[in-house]
Amino acid sequence: GSVKCKNFIMSADATFICCGDIDVSEVMSCTAADSVSQVAGAVRAKILDSGSGAWLELYDKKKLHVDHLLDYVMIDDDPVEPKKKPDMTKLLVKAAIETEEWDDLDYEDREGEDMADYISLNEEAVWKMLAAGKSILKA
């Protein structure tokens, strides 16, 4: 069948296999350790977090319909990456992002680096906000 939801976040050691489509109105995160996420149909989401830790597997590149891909998706045996990683600080509320790795870099180390490569979802904060019925997207 197909799945339609506001947000979709995989848990560690979980398996999600969808034979139909998945429509996520906000964020789909498939990065939890030792998780498996496979979708045979289309994937639609504003933001897809995949490829840092674990990843989403698809079978047809034409069925990937996301506004912002944070890392990569596996299609068959090939990773599909965005041309440029999106700036999560512009897309998500501050509490939903983890900036510690970027914050720990001194000025010289930041030179020539892309902040998007050092920022990730703050999974614990995101779980709490979603459980409280809040959105993690900026208005």
Side-chain angles (χ1 to χ4, degrees), residues 103-119:
D103 295 340
D104 286 347
L105 295 176
D106 60 28
Y107 180 77
E108 292 89 27
D109 291 337
R110 287 183 183 184
E111 196 168 324
E113 295 293 330
D114 186 351
M115 184 177 178
D117 292 333
Y118 292 87
I119 293 178

Side-chain angles (χ1 to χ4, degrees), residues 15 20 24-25 38 44 66 68 72 90 129-130:
T15 298
V24 181
S25 60
Q38 297 177 339
R44 294 176 194 85
V66 299
H68 305 282
Y72 68 87
K90 293 180 180 174
M129 287 186 287
L130 295 179

Side-chain angles (χ1 to χ4, degrees), residues 86-94 97 99 115-116 119 138:
D87 183 350
M88 286 196 287
T89 63
K90 293 180 180 174
L91 300 172
L92 303 174
V93 296
K94 187 175 182 176
I97 57 176
T99 63
M115 184 177 178
I119 293 178
K138 282 191 172 178

Side-chain angles (χ1 to χ4, degrees), residues 115-128:
M115 184 177 178
D117 292 333
Y118 292 87
I119 293 178
S120 60
L121 277 183
N122 181 335
E123 296 283 343
E124 184 177 337
V126 167
W127 278 104
K128 288 179 182 176

Side-chain angles (χ1 to χ4, degrees), residues 28-109:
M28 180 174 185
S29 179
C30 301
T31 61
D34 299 319
S35 66
V36 174
S37 306
Q38 297 177 339
V39 177
V43 173
R44 294 176 194 85
K46 287 193 183 296
I47 298 172
L48 174 57
D49 186 16
S50 170
S52 57
W55 53 86
L56 174 65
E57 294 181 47
L58 299 176
Y59 303 97
D60 184 350
K61 186 176 180 179
K62 294 176 187 174
K63 293 185 177 188
L64 180 62
H65 307 285
V66 299
D67 294 342
H68 305 282
L69 175 59
L70 300 186
D71 208 338
Y72 68 87
V73 172
M74 291 300 291
I75 299 179
D76 288 325
D77 291 328
D78 299 317
V80 172
E81 301 176 273
K83 291 182 187 347
K84 181 172 175 21
K85 287 187 179 184
D87 183 350
M88 286 196 287
T89 63
K90 293 180 180 174
L91 300 172
L92 303 174
V93 296
K94 187 175 182 176
I97 57 176
E98 178 59 61
T99 63
E100 185 177 352
E101 190 175 357
W102 177 256
D103 295 340
D104 286 347
L105 295 176
D106 60 28
Y107 180 77
E108 292 89 27
D109 291 337

